[in-house]
Amino acid sequence: NIYEFISEYIDINGKPVAVYLDRHSAYKINHPKDQFDKEMLSRLQVACNILGIEVIYSKCPEGKGRVENSFKTHQDRLIKEMRLAGIKNIVSANKFLYDYYIPKHNNKFSVEAKVSGNFHVPITKYEKENLEWFFAKKEKRIIKRDGTVNYMNTKYQIHKKQYLPAGKQVNVVTSMLGKLKIFSGNVELLFDIIN
């Protein structure tokens, strides 16, 4: 998924100054102007804002077309090369991708930049420790009468010392690694899993 890819990229290389993307709904909330709310941001936009990464959206079909053509090329070539190499599991596939396929592709198709150098910004210790949360999935849920929150077929009992009235809206936040936190505003709530 795109969030895992970008998170891993940042962890390895540091933060890019900017990312160039198409206007796909995974990257940008695409509502008509009369229905658009400035608070409506995609997970990617939220994470990039936190990390100080500028997001540049392609305004021409050629920009999107180049990306799509690249995807088609990789989907065709990569699968065939993996089959020829006898790849049968994800671990072997990832090793093949990073050790052979990407270096071979970059060697053949990369173009020397006009200005050379690494312009990535190193991530701070705090950013590294919290990277999985910057790209977290956030969903609204309602507190039930018994002080519980239902999420993904699981019931979470909010601790009584953090009492919230029934009907109160909370945010359930799931990190990319599957860890879960519940917030009321900016306050993190303590909870127990009861089923």
Side-chain angles (χ1 to χ4, degrees):
N1 99 23
I2 185 67
Y3 309 112
E4 289 176 11
F5 168 77
I6 292 177
S7 175
E8 183 179 330
Y9 178 90
I10 291 169
D11 192 34
I12 294 168
N13 301 292
K15 298 180 289 184
V17 174
V19 290
Y20 181 72
L21 303 167
D22 65 24
R23 294 172 175 268
H24 190 278
S25 60
Y27 315 132
K28 183 179 191 302
I29 304 293
N30 293 312
H31 282 296
K33 285 186 179 176
D34 59 327
Q35 297 174 19
F36 187 74
D37 179 353
K38 288 182 181 175
E39 299 296 313
M40 296 170 71
L41 298 174
S42 70
R43 285 167 63 188
L44 182 66
Q45 288 172 309
V46 169
C48 286
N49 283 349
I50 292 168
L51 292 165
I53 300 169
E54 181 185 2
V55 180
I56 302 168
Y57 294 102
S58 172
K59 293 183 179 170
C60 65
E62 292 82 6
K64 182 175 170 65
R66 286 189 191 104
V67 172
E68 294 296 330
N69 286 338
S70 176
F71 287 162
K72 286 178 190 171
T73 300
H74 292 305
Q75 286 170 351
D76 180 53
R77 287 184 188 166
L78 179 58
I79 300 304
K80 289 175 182 170
E81 290 205 32
M82 284 174 39
R83 195 173 292 135
L84 288 170
I87 305 296
K88 297 200 184 307
N89 59 55
I90 291 175
V91 173
S92 299
N94 284 332
K95 182 165 178 40
F96 176 82
L97 185 68
Y98 289 108
D99 293 349
Y100 173 75
Y101 184 80
I102 292 174
K104 178 185 169 189
H105 178 270
N106 288 346
N107 189 44
K108 186 172 181 180
F109 295 106
S110 62
V111 177
E112 193 68 37
K114 287 181 182 177
V115 180
S116 62
N118 184 350
F119 297 99
H120 289 86
V121 178
I123 58 174
T124 65
K125 183 181 175 190
Y126 170 79
E127 289 170 338
K128 189 170 183 71
E129 290 171 353
N130 291 282
L131 206 50
E132 68 175 291
W133 292 103
F134 295 152
F135 293 94
K137 181 173 154 189
K138 186 190 292 186
E139 294 188 47
K140 296 186 184 308
R141 290 293 185 268
I142 301 295
I143 298 282
K144 305 289 183 195
R145 275 191 258 178
D146 59 358
T148 61
V149 174
N150 291 333
Y151 181 72
M152 301 291 285
N153 299 320
T154 304
K155 193 177 272 194
Y156 299 91
Q157 178 71 60
I158 306 300
H159 285 196
K160 287 192 167 100
K161 63 181 180 181
Q162 291 183 307
Y163 170 80
L164 291 170
K168 170 86 174 170
Q169 196 173 72
V170 295
N171 287 316
V172 178
V173 182
T174 312
S175 82
M176 291 189 312
L177 299 178
K179 298 175 190 166
L180 187 134
K181 293 182 179 182
I182 301 175
F183 290 89
S184 175
N186 291 325
V187 177
E188 185 176 346
L189 303 173
L190 301 173
F191 60 84
D192 294 309
I193 299 173
I194 58 174
N195 77 329

